[in-house]
Amino acid sequence: MKKKWWHDKVAYQIYPKSFYDSNGDGIGDIPGIISKLDYLKDLGVDIIWLSPCFCSPLADQGYDISDYYNIDPRFGTIEDIDVLLEEAKKRDMYILMDLVVNHCSDEHEWFEKACEDPMGEYGKFFYIQNGKEDGSEPNNWRSYFGGSAWDKLPGHEEENLYYLHLFHKKQPDLNWEHKEMREEVYKMINWWLDKGLAGFRIDAIINIKKALPVENYSYPADRDDGLVRPQRMLKDAVGIGEFLGEMHERTFKPHDSFAVGEVFDVEKKDLPEFIGDDGYFSSMFDFNETIFGSSDKGWYDAKKITPDDYKRCCFESQAEMDGVGYFSNIIENHDEPRGVSRYIPEGECTPRAKKLLGAMNFLLKGLPFIYQGQEIGMENVVLESIDQVDDISTLDEYQVAKNAGLSDEEALKVVNFFSRDNARTPMQWTDKAQAGFTTGTPWLYVNPNYTEINVAAQEEDPESVLNWYKALISLRKNPEYKETVVYGDTVPVLEDTHNLMAYYRKGENQTILVIGNYQPQAQTVELPCEIEKVLLDNTKGVQNEYSELPAFKDGKLTLEGYQTIAAVVKEA
Ligand code: GLC
């Protein structure tokens, strides 16, 4: 693997709508982000990924873009972005934006022109298609957000004319088979990269290749609605490499930019094409833990992940990427519940457990992405009613659960656990009104636990989760350990020990052991190595390096509940 400029960095995802509101309208904005750059710099962040803030009707919170070249007035102006880029540069920080090009908004002028003249040039930018002879949809694909992926083309309801939207009906899919459309996309990417962006996070990109012709690809239904999830079709959509390779050559490569793909379901054999030295992307998110236990039937049927599953998922991905490329590691993002509420068993979500989870994930090989609020241990919200939900995906899953026979209460509990809103509640800055996020009324409710969990309080507390994250970051950046933390091989240790997650990071002349007792009870283990120097210990505050070694007796190490240690070892 060739070394790249971004390998040793730390990345942070901002969900602009919920990060910091500078003008009191209840919606986070770019000036708000600029005002928090010093906070992020102080945390140790180098790369910032902004979820979309382009012009958008916000049907899917900005993942439905109506103008790729402009900023939605609710988030600020294009001049604000120029200032953000400048201010970031001053601080040696890099900005990534979200590249949403599987689809645009139905309010984008391309789609509006397509509706005016479906057989004209812009009609070809989309999948506009006759329905079946009986007037029904061209096939039985389900949209990711529920219901058919086909809707009647606006303005042509009397005709048998449909357009495809794998996501919401306000997100028509762009037709990547059409060269002129691809050219428009590359032009736009280059425009942003020339402006000074360091790169992109690439949204839903695996969907750009469809199984064609669409009328040949109906499948047996996977639910009672007679439809089939889009992932089924993707298995038959061969040849995505052509588009991804072209995009890479024409945009990211000449700019030496960073591109991280939101990609699910890539087979190991295809990984070198995706993230090898000259891959389509610089990196891809590791979603192995995220998708663990998911079910075709819906959230209500998902299996909960245990600490042992979590460990296995992490190790599987580490092995997969070994020698091929460099994954991006996450605990959560804007599409997922809060990681601490998901990966720490119910009732055990203490600051110490949060630190264990943070260390386990952060010290794996790969580029760590912190999602806003993760660094202070923000948790899921407890919903009282489905009326509180904003997220379209959660509303759909609630119906799916109810159709499967769950009561209102049971369905609410299920969707509460997985809801994307959990990650989207406003960032908790202080213990003042609205968690210091806005002086107005926030667009989404604040988690009531902000009085306890907030940045201001944690900055003051040397033992806080926030200061633990700072310590993890400074370990990654410490010249003495950096090579090992960034490039060392990951080797599982005591892999079969229940509720214990441990691994070596093996560098050239150094081995670091990361070990965590993933349960509330103490646990005694026989280590296959000798500890030389403890670098981090979540039972002892958060400063780096301890002279004191952990409790050994008869060659055995006893770890307290949720105790986590990172240490340099002499190997056995
Ligand atoms: C990605 C985004 C998600 C969005 C979807 C459609 O999965 O992360 O938030 O709803 O794509 O753009």
Side-chain angles (χ1 to χ4, degrees):
M1 188 183 68
K2 274 195 228 138
K3 291 197 173 172
K4 301 278 169 64
W5 65 265
W6 50 270
H7 280 158
D8 61 356
K9 305 284 184 264
V10 171
Y12 187 95
Q13 180 190 353
I14 289 181
Y15 194 69
K17 202 173 181 190
S18 304
F19 190 60
Y20 186 63
D21 173 20
S22 72
N23 61 1
D25 65 357
I27 293 180
D29 45 46
I30 314 290
I33 295 171
I34 297 169
S35 72
K36 296 292 183 188
L37 281 180
D38 286 331
Y39 164 76
L40 295 173
K41 182 73 192 170
D42 180 55
L43 178 61
V45 169
D46 309 290
I47 299 177
I48 298 171
W49 151 30
L50 303 185
S51 275
C53 44
F54 309 96
C55 292
S56 164
L58 303 189
D60 185 23
Q61 297 303 358
Y63 284 90
D64 47 322
I65 297 173
S66 54
D67 181 355
Y68 288 97
Y69 293 91
N70 263 306
I71 299 302
D72 193 285
R74 283 166 283 201
F75 296 123
T77 61
I78 195 83
E79 289 75 30
D80 291 332
I81 289 286
D82 292 333
V83 177
L84 174 67
L85 290 171
E86 239 169 75
E87 291 298 317
K89 199 168 176 191
K90 275 188 208 157
R91 294 167 175 80
D92 284 327
M93 294 166 99
Y94 303 83
I95 304 290
L96 312 177
M97 285 175 90
D98 223 302
L99 185 65
V100 188
V101 286
N102 172 67
H103 45 266
C104 60
S105 161
D106 64 341
E107 296 182 33
H108 192 289
E109 65 167 336
W110 296 340
F111 192 69
E112 288 173 349
K113 286 185 182 160
C115 293
E116 272 163 30
D117 180 11
M119 298 310 142
E121 171 58 14
Y122 288 98
K124 298 186 195 125
F125 273 44
F126 299 91
Y127 291 95
I128 295 176
Q129 180 95 23
N130 280 327
K132 292 202 188 116
E133 262 170 37
D134 65 0
S136 62
E137 291 81 1
N139 62 32
N140 72 338
W141 299 350
R142 183 188 300 112
S143 124
Y144 285 103
F145 296 143
S148 170
W150 296 95
D151 254 85
K152 282 280 176 89
L153 191 69
H156 301 265
E157 286 78 2
E158 301 308 313
E159 299 159 47
N160 190 16
L161 210 51
Y162 288 87
Y163 73 97
L164 176 69
H165 58 87
L166 290 183
F167 291 88
H168 192 260
K169 68 173 184 210
K170 285 183 69 62
Q171 294 170 299
D173 279 55
L174 287 164
N175 179 5
W176 277 71
E177 308 291 334
H178 187 54
K179 188 159 180 357
E180 283 72 16
M181 196 293 298
R182 299 202 301 277
E183 290 300 328
E184 285 291 340
V185 169
Y186 305 152
K187 192 170 93 187
M188 179 270 291
I189 298 175
N190 285 327
W191 185 84
W192 279 105
L193 293 176
D194 290 341
K195 213 174 178 23
L197 275 195
F200 284 98
R201 174 266 187 181
I202 307 174
D203 184 72
I205 195 69
I206 210 70
N207 296 285
I208 62 173
K209 185 78 191 179
K210 325 290 186 210
L212 300 173
V214 297
E215 54 275 20
N216 290 358
Y217 289 92
S218 275
Y219 299 92
D222 59 16
R223 289 183 193 167
D224 292 343
D225 59 5
L227 304 175
V228 63
R229 59 209 297 264
Q231 290 92 329
R232 175 64 194 86
M233 164 282 280
L234 294 179
K235 289 203 172 90
D236 292 329
V238 278
I240 192 172
E242 220 176 288
F243 299 150
L244 297 180
E246 184 181 80
M247 175 161 65
H248 169 70
E249 289 293 327
R250 297 280 304 280
T251 61
F252 311 134
K253 191 171 171 180
H255 285 89
D256 190 22
S257 62
F258 174 76
V260 54
E262 186 203 24
V263 185
F264 295 89
D265 290 340
V266 172
E267 287 182 38
K268 188 177 160 103
K269 68 170 177 38
D270 298 329
L271 266 187
E273 273 171 51
F274 278 75
I275 55 164
D277 279 339
D278 200 24
Y280 311 136
F281 308 123
S282 318
S283 180
M284 268 165 43
F285 289 109
D286 171 23
F287 290 124
N288 210 21
E289 305 87 67
T290 317
I291 59 174
F292 178 89
S294 59
S295 158
D296 286 2
K297 292 188 189 156
W299 289 354
Y300 76 89
D301 191 49
K303 189 175 151 208
K304 282 207 178 155
I305 189 165
T306 66
D308 288 344
D309 298 325
Y310 183 79
K311 162 174 73 177
R312 260 194 303 275
C313 288
C314 292
F315 290 165
E316 250 171 44
S317 303
Q318 293 280 297
E320 233 174 53
M321 137 185 100
D322 191 34
V324 177
Y326 209 70
F327 275 153
S328 290
N329 295 324
I330 58 158
I331 290 182
E332 64 209 40
N333 65 26
H334 67 292
D335 290 330
E336 302 299 331
R338 288 290 177 178
V340 292
S341 301
R342 179 186 219 161
Y343 301 120
I344 299 171
E346 213 175 328
E348 297 173 19
C349 197
T350 58
R352 189 189 280 185
K354 291 175 182 180
K355 291 177 190 171
L356 173 137
L357 182 66
M360 285 304 141
N361 187 272
F362 198 91
L363 296 174
L364 290 169
K365 186 170 183 174
L367 177 67
F369 269 77
I370 298 169
Y371 178 72
Q372 68 182 42
Q374 178 188 325
E375 75 276 25
I376 53 168
M378 277 178 67
E379 299 173 2
N380 277 1
V381 194
V382 182
L383 291 175
E384 271 144 35
S385 148
I386 191 68
D387 299 336
Q388 289 171 276
V389 172
D390 169 83
D391 169 35
I392 46 182
S393 181
T394 308
L395 293 170
D396 170 52
E397 291 286 352
Y398 180 73
Q399 271 319 315
V400 171
K402 284 194 40 173
N403 295 346
L406 275 71
S407 68
D408 289 3
E409 208 180 306
E410 289 162 342
L412 184 66
K413 194 160 183 238
V414 165
V415 300
N416 197 163
F417 187 79
F418 290 109
S419 173
R420 307 198 294 181
D421 282 349
N422 285 309
R424 300 176 180 187
T425 62
M427 177 74 181
Q428 294 166 203
W429 294 104
T430 67
D431 64 357
K432 303 285 172 337
Q434 310 301 356
F437 160 71
T438 178
T439 52
T441 307
W443 73 275
L444 185 66
Y445 50 82
V446 173
N447 190 324
N449 67 15
Y450 72 92
T451 46
E452 269 146 51
I453 301 177
N454 64 69
V455 171
Q458 296 203 13
E459 276 177 334
E460 298 303 309
D461 174 6
E463 308 240 329
S464 64
V465 176
L466 178 63
N467 278 310
W468 177 255
Y469 269 90
K470 284 188 190 171
L472 289 170
I473 294 174
S474 59
L475 179 62
R476 184 176 174 85
K477 298 194 168 181
N478 185 328
E480 217 175 308
Y481 309 112
K482 186 173 158 164
E483 271 303 297
T484 308
V485 176
V486 175
Y487 292 111
D489 290 335
T490 304
V491 182
V493 175
L494 300 172
E495 203 176 343
D496 296 327
T497 308
H498 176 53
N499 284 353
L500 183 89
M501 183 162 169
Y503 52 89
Y504 292 136
R505 298 297 313 282
K506 287 197 174 194
E508 299 256 305
N509 300 307
Q510 185 180 57
T511 298
I512 293 177
L513 168 75
V514 183
I515 184 166
N517 177 23
Y518 211 143
Q519 61 177 20
Q521 305 78 21
Q523 169 158 218
T524 300
V525 292
E526 205 163 330
L527 279 187
C529 59
E530 207 180 305
I531 291 185
E532 203 170 86
K533 180 156 50 162
V534 177
L535 305 173
L536 284 169
D537 180 344
N538 67 348
T539 64
K540 296 229 179 72
V542 295
Q543 70 273 40
N544 283 164
E545 295 193 20
Y546 299 88
S547 45
E548 200 186 326
L549 294 180
F552 268 106
K553 208 171 158 213
D554 306 328
K556 290 183 178 164
L557 170 69
T558 298
L559 293 165
E560 293 174 29
Y562 281 105
Q563 184 171 11
T564 306
I565 289 171
V568 179
V569 296
K570 294 182 212 146
E571 257 181 81

